[in-house]
Amino acid sequence: MLRIINAALNFQMYFAIANHTLTVVEADAEYTQELLTDMIILAPGQTTNVLFTTNKSSGDYYIAASVYSTPNAEIVPFPQTPTTAILRYEAAGSGTGQVVLPSFPLANDSSLHVKLSKALKGKQFSEGFYHFDVPQTVDYDLLHTIGYALQRCAAPNETCMGQRNIRFRASMNNISFVSPDAYSILEAHYNHVNGVYTTNFPDAPYFKYDYTAVNPINKAALSGTRVRVIPFNSTVQVVYQDTATLFIQSHPMHLHGQNFYIVGTGNGTYNPKTDPATFNLVNPPSRNTVSVYPGGWAAVRFRAINPGAWLVHCHFDIHMSWGMDMVFITLNGKKDSEILPPPPKDLPKC
C-alpha cells in the first residue's frame, strides 16, 4: 500500500508506476470503493491510498509524477519532465536494463481528471464508527464562483504588475479575501470582537455574467474579510463554478474542519434546473478537497457538525494569497460535544 500526498504548491500531478495497476481504496482519509486504474491525479493537499501488486518481471520500474495544468506553460510555467523514483524488485540487481517510464497524458489533457472524478465512489457503512450520511436535501444552496480578478492599485502612485497597471488578484463571488492582521477570525468570533470581519459573504456572485464565456467582460473584485454564518447541524450545498476571467483553470477547493461529499461535477456553466438530476446522492466520495473542472463546476454537500471558523480556499498557494478564500462560521449546537470549548489560558496572541 502506498499513501500518496501531493505536497506541491501550485500544480496538480499525475502519478503512476510503470506497467503496474493501482487500486484506489481511500481518498482524503475516507474509504472508497476499489477503483482500478493505471494512473491517478492529485491536487495539492489531496491524499490517496492505493494498493499495487509486484507481479511483473524482475527489474526496475519508474514511479513517476507529471504536471497537470490547463493553462499552457507560457502563461503558467511548469517543469516539462516527470519527477521519478525507482521501484526495484528484490531479485533485480542494479543496472538490469532500461527503466520504463509511465506514459502520461499531455499536461493540459483534462480527460483523466474527468474520468477519475466520475469513477470514484464512496464506501458505504451502515453501522459502526463511520456512518454514511449523504444530505438528501439542503438548508443552504450556495453558488460560489472562483477565478482571477483585477483591482485598482491601492495608492495613486503605486505600480502594479497586472494589465494596464492593475493589481492581479483572485476572488470568490467577486470578493477578494483580506486576512485580518490584529485578531484571527476565530478569536474575534469567540470573544465577540467587532470590526474584524463582516457576515455578508454573498450566497451567489454579486455580478452575474456568462462565467465560462471566452474573455468575459466582468473581471472586477471587491476586497473584504467576509464570512458566511451557518447554524449547527444545517445541511449545505456549495456549487463551485470556475470562471474564464483572464483564463480558465482547474482549482482545487479545500474546506477546513470537516469533509464534504462531492455529489456532482460538470463542464461549462452550472444549470440549477437540470444539473441536480445528475447528482450522485447514493455513494459519492467524501473528501476535503474537490478539484473543479477547468471551465466547469463541482457540487459538494456537507452537514455543519463542527463549530468554529473554517477557512475555504483554493489549494494553489498563490491563489490563496491573491484572495481566493472565504470563511464558514459554524455556530454552536446545544449538547456539550457540539459547543466550541474555550481557548487555553496560555494561548499566544495573534
Side-chain angles (χ1 to χ4, degrees), residues 6 11-16 39-42 63-69 78-84 101-107:
N6 185 345
F11 290 107
Q12 299 186 57
M13 305 285 284
Y14 302 112
F15 175 91
M39 193 174 302
I40 63 172
I41 185 170
L42 286 179
I63 305 170
S66 184
V67 166
Y68 164 66
S69 178
F78 55 84
Q80 300 295 304
T81 56
T83 181
T84 58
L101 189 70
S103 179
F104 290 108
L106 295 175

Side-chain angles (χ1 to χ4, degrees), residues 87-117:
L87 169 65
R88 173 167 294 165
Y89 283 34
E90 279 189 348
S94 60
T96 56
Q98 184 176 3
V99 185
V100 179
L101 189 70
S103 179
F104 290 108
L106 295 175
N108 63 353
D109 185 350
S110 298
S111 59
L112 181 65
H113 184 341
V114 174
K115 176 184 175 182
L116 293 177
S117 297

Side-chain angles (χ1 to χ4, degrees), residues 18-240:
N19 295 349
H20 289 72
T21 299
L22 307 177
T23 303
V24 178
V25 294
E26 176 267 0
D28 291 356
E30 298 281 11
Y31 288 116
T32 66
Q33 295 183 25
E34 293 185 359
L35 174 63
L36 273 64
T37 178
D38 295 330
M39 193 174 302
I40 63 172
I41 185 170
L42 286 179
Q46 283 187 327
T47 66
T48 292
N49 282 358
V50 300
L51 308 178
F52 75 98
T53 304
T54 54
N55 56 1
K56 304 301 179 182
S57 300
S58 178
D60 292 345
Y61 300 86
Y62 269 130
I63 305 170
S66 184
V67 166
Y68 164 66
S69 178
T70 43
N72 63 48
E74 293 181 1
I75 298 176
V76 182
F78 55 84
Q80 300 295 304
T81 56
T83 181
T84 58
I86 290 178
L87 169 65
R88 173 167 294 165
Y89 283 34
E90 279 189 348
S94 60
T96 56
Q98 184 176 3
V99 185
V100 179
L101 189 70
S103 179
F104 290 108
L106 295 175
N108 63 353
D109 185 350
S110 298
S111 59
L112 181 65
H113 184 341
V114 174
K115 176 184 175 182
L116 293 177
S117 297
K118 297 289 188 182
L120 192 63
K121 309 295 183 184
K123 187 110 174 178
Q124 290 196 53
F125 293 90
S126 60
E127 58 185 23
F129 175 77
Y130 180 90
H131 178 66
F132 199 85
D133 178 22
V134 183
Q136 300 298 300
T137 60
V138 294
D139 301 315
Y140 298 93
D141 189 358
L142 314 176
L143 173 65
H144 288 180
T145 55
I146 51 178
Y148 300 101
L150 298 175
Q151 290 181 333
R152 296 187 181 277
C153 291
N157 297 327
E158 184 180 1
T159 300
C160 295
M161 302 300 292
Q163 300 174 0
R164 300 185 301 278
N165 194 32
I166 294 177
R167 186 185 300 275
F168 193 74
R169 298 281 288 171
S171 67
M172 296 177 64
N173 277 4
N174 304 114
I175 305 298
S176 279
F177 185 79
V178 178
S179 297
D181 55 8
Y183 290 87
S184 72
I185 290 177
L186 178 60
E187 185 180 9
H189 165 65
Y190 194 91
N191 294 318
H192 307 289
V193 179
N194 294 323
V196 177
Y197 62 84
T198 61
T199 59
N200 60 342
F201 187 86
D203 292 351
Y206 274 129
F207 312 119
K208 295 178 174 60
Y209 56 98
D210 189 348
Y211 305 124
T212 56
V214 176
N215 194 28
I217 295 174
N218 192 318
K219 300 181 179 69
L222 305 172
S223 295
T225 308
R226 305 193 188 194
V227 309
R228 179 61 163 89
V229 178
I230 48 178
F232 183 86
N233 204 40
S234 57
T235 54
V236 181
Q237 174 174 290
V238 185
V239 175
Y240 292 106

Side-chain angles (χ1 to χ4, degrees), residues 268-292:
T269 297
Y270 173 73
N271 188 325
K273 295 182 179 180
T274 59
D275 285 327
T278 68
F279 287 0
N280 176 8
L281 300 180
V282 177
N283 56 0
S286 175
R287 306 199 72 151
N288 58 49
T289 303
V290 59
S291 185
V292 182

Side-chain angles (χ1 to χ4, degrees), residues 189 230-234 304-308 329-341:
H189 165 65
I230 48 178
F232 183 86
N233 204 40
S234 57
I305 56 173
N306 196 6
I329 290 182
T330 300
L331 300 177
N332 286 332
K334 296 180 180 179
K335 300 177 182 178
D336 288 344
S337 61
E338 301 170 353
I339 296 174
L340 185 69

